[in-house]
Amino acid sequence: MAALPSLLLPLLLLLLFSFSADATHTPRTLHVPVLHRDAVFPPAHTADAARYTAQLASLSSTTDSDDQLRSPVISGLPFDSGEYFAIVGVGDPSTRALVVIDTGSDLIWLQCAPCRHCYRQLTPLYDPRSSTTYRQIPCASPRCRGVLRYPGCDAGTGSCVYMVVYGDGSASSGNLATDRLVFPEDTHAHNVTLGCGHDNGGLFESAAGLLGVGRGELSFPTQVAATYGRVFSYCLGDRMSRAKSSSSYLVFGRTPELPSTAFTPLRTNPRRPSLYYVDMVGFSVADERVTGFSEASLALDPATGRGGIVVDSGTAISRFARDAYVAVRDAFNSRAAAGGMRKVAHNFSVFDACYGLRRKETVRVPSIVLHFAGGADMALPPANYLVPVQGGDRRMYFCLGLQAADDGLNVLGNVQQQGFGVVFDVERERIGFAPNGCST
């Protein structure tokens, strides 16, 4: 999300020098399960602060086999966010923190006491003065001067100062430091470099901060690569599901691949080296290949930095070059009309292809398949591209959940990724997609 435009949509109701963090009580993989939002955020009419605290506390006792590490991850739907969240402990004694999982950025940061400017968060505020393992990083440290894009220095303390600004205008600034991250089953990652944010604002409402899992030196997977390797995977569960349980997950380390996993080459953009790029080669709608656009707009051009597709957990809605989006939208509209779907004349926010469905009406929804280089395909379930939106007349409409991009930055968002097992394998330079990945 760091370098990406703001795509967080409240209407949907819905994250040099090498160094590494040390880990103790180390399993072979670091496994972060995804729990349903009601496990942490019960429906509003039954929720109160005491119940939130008790439910959050109970999540830290999640158990599994000795070679896995679990910590809750949930959908941001109940507090109008299009993101997914993990719960980790920070410091010693640890403070429980709800953090955005973001493959589009690197820095791990949390709101810190004392706060000069902080937004409301649901978990307790992290106070580094209460942590025996908190250490500020000096201005002269390679972690400050060699890694931060915009390093600063606190003249009074000699400590490194960071500042990060996201594409949607959200921002955080404070001291760069190290502390431990704590996961269930008493597994700790020590000496993790993170930002202690005293001035924060933007669209991070409710979260304590951000867990950056990009490709840069400051990202969490890079910092624990000596222990788990440079590979992680996740499955982001159905954001609209009312089920009480979920088998969704976030895992750091190599795990057995699902037989259905299809891999596409991982590309590197010299102008945005921290992002996970892949090449798309086209789309199919209703089993027919979409034509009428330039495939070059979907392929990465390393010379200009344009094109390619960023796989991003911190962006909700996918966006594609305008000519490609228009071609897909028009093909979908044509097939939808043939299947009895009635397109409405007006738009809803960023969506310009929306449909009204009557009760007990039977329609045929056109299928959509995304084609990636190397033969990897994502056949999207309808829930991954038809977004429910409530209109001003209080009726529910369904919109084609894609956007046009005019800045050369194409994104595969988490709405389209939901339900797929996604493997980020930097070691083997590939990204994999497995349908029904949350069921395993």
Side-chain angles (χ1 to χ4, degrees):
M1 184 173 64
L4 306 181
S6 171
L7 297 177
L8 302 182
L9 303 175
L11 61 88
L12 293 179
L13 295 180
L14 297 161
L15 323 158
L16 296 179
F17 294 83
S18 296
F19 52 90
S20 63
D22 303 320
T24 60
H25 188 172
T26 307
R28 291 192 297 272
T29 58
L30 188 158
H31 192 150
V32 185
V34 178
L35 303 183
H36 185 265
R37 62 184 182 273
D38 284 353
V40 181
F41 302 98
H45 64 278
T46 62
D48 56 47
R51 287 193 62 185
Y52 280 145
T53 302
Q55 288 173 318
L56 287 169
S58 70
L59 293 175
S60 65
S61 63
T62 305
T63 60
D64 203 322
S65 60
D66 292 339
D67 66 346
Q68 292 181 336
L69 173 66
R70 289 185 175 269
S71 177
V73 178
I74 58 174
S75 165
L77 181 66
F79 37 93
D80 295 344
S81 172
E83 298 164 319
Y84 285 80
F85 298 81
I87 295 178
V88 299
V90 186
D92 185 10
S94 65
T95 299
R96 195 167 291 106
L98 183 74
V99 290
V100 175
I101 303 167
D102 188 17
T103 61
S105 63
D106 295 327
L107 182 67
I108 306 161
W109 64 265
L110 300 119
Q111 295 199 117
C112 284
C115 269
R116 289 184 290 267
H117 298 94
C118 283
Y119 54 82
R120 182 184 67 90
Q121 65 180 61
L122 293 177
T123 48
L125 187 67
Y126 168 54
D127 189 342
R129 296 167 298 188
S130 301
S131 173
T132 63
T133 48
Y134 176 83
R135 300 289 185 274
Q136 289 190 349
I137 293 177
C139 299
S141 169
R143 302 191 190 191
C144 181
R145 297 296 180 185
V147 177
L148 282 181
R149 185 174 182 182
Y150 302 112
C153 187
D154 186 328
T157 63
S159 62
C160 183
V161 174
Y162 79 92
M163 179 181 69
V164 59
V165 180
Y166 299 91
D168 59 19
S170 301
S172 175
S173 65
N175 298 107
L176 196 67
T178 62
D179 209 335
R180 70 169 189 163
L181 295 187
V182 184
F183 301 88
E185 297 302 289
D186 198 32
T187 301
H188 310 148
H190 290 284
N191 197 36
V192 176
T193 299
L194 51 81
C196 183
H198 301 293
D199 291 276
N200 317 283
L203 299 179
F204 291 108
E205 181 78 9
S206 300
L210 187 143
L211 182 68
V213 290
R215 299 175 67 180
E217 293 295 326
L218 289 174
S219 77
F220 184 70
T222 299
Q223 292 196 57
V224 298
T227 302
Y228 299 109
R230 302 202 66 175
V231 56
F232 71 95
S233 58
Y234 61 57
C235 186
L236 305 176
D238 180 1
R239 70 197 188 284
M240 302 297 291
S241 172
R242 303 305 303 179
K244 287 288 184 179
S245 62
S246 171
S247 56
S248 304
Y249 57 83
L250 170 64
V251 181
F252 294 93
R254 191 171 298 282
T255 57
E257 296 169 5
L258 296 175
S260 59
T261 306
F263 286 94
T264 187
L266 173 62
R267 302 291 308 278
T268 298
N269 185 344
R271 296 178 180 247
R272 293 187 174 101
S274 292
L275 302 180
Y276 299 97
Y277 274 87
V278 295
D279 282 335
M280 279 190 67
V281 295
F283 309 83
S284 289
V285 172
D287 297 325
E288 290 189 10
R289 198 69 171 232
V290 176
T291 59
F293 68 95
S294 172
E295 292 185 7
S297 62
L298 299 178
L300 176 63
D301 183 349
T304 64
R306 297 178 67 86
I309 309 293
V310 177
V311 183
D312 184 27
S313 65
T315 295
I317 300 299
S318 295
R319 57 201 311 267
F320 303 109
R322 181 166 294 276
D323 64 336
Y325 166 73
V326 169
V328 172
R329 180 201 62 195
D330 291 350
F332 187 86
N333 282 339
S334 175
R335 290 291 184 173
M341 296 177 65
R342 295 173 293 101
K343 185 176 183 294
V344 297
H346 51 284
N347 301 337
F348 293 93
S349 186
V350 299
F351 302 126
D352 61 2
C354 298
Y355 306 86
L357 303 178
R358 297 187 179 92
R359 293 183 62 183
K360 299 182 180 180
E361 184 177 32
T362 301
V363 299
R364 294 189 303 277
V365 179
S367 61
I368 294 181
V369 180
L370 311 182
H371 302 293
F372 295 90
D377 292 340
M378 288 182 72
L380 302 180
N384 288 33
Y385 57 88
L386 282 182
V387 175
V389 178
Q390 185 172 346
D393 55 4
R394 304 186 66 83
R395 291 180 56 193
M396 189 64 69
Y397 297 88
F398 290 86
C399 300
L400 180 62
L402 304 174
Q403 278 187 283
D406 295 313
D407 56 2
L409 186 61
N410 306 315
V411 180
L412 181 66
N414 62 45
V415 171
Q416 281 66 54
Q417 294 178 52
Q418 62 183 339
F420 283 84
V422 185
V423 181
F424 296 80
D425 191 347
V426 177
E427 292 176 358
R428 299 179 182 175
E429 298 184 333
R430 60 182 188 167
I431 289 183
F433 304 101
N436 302 312
C438 293
S439 62
T440 302

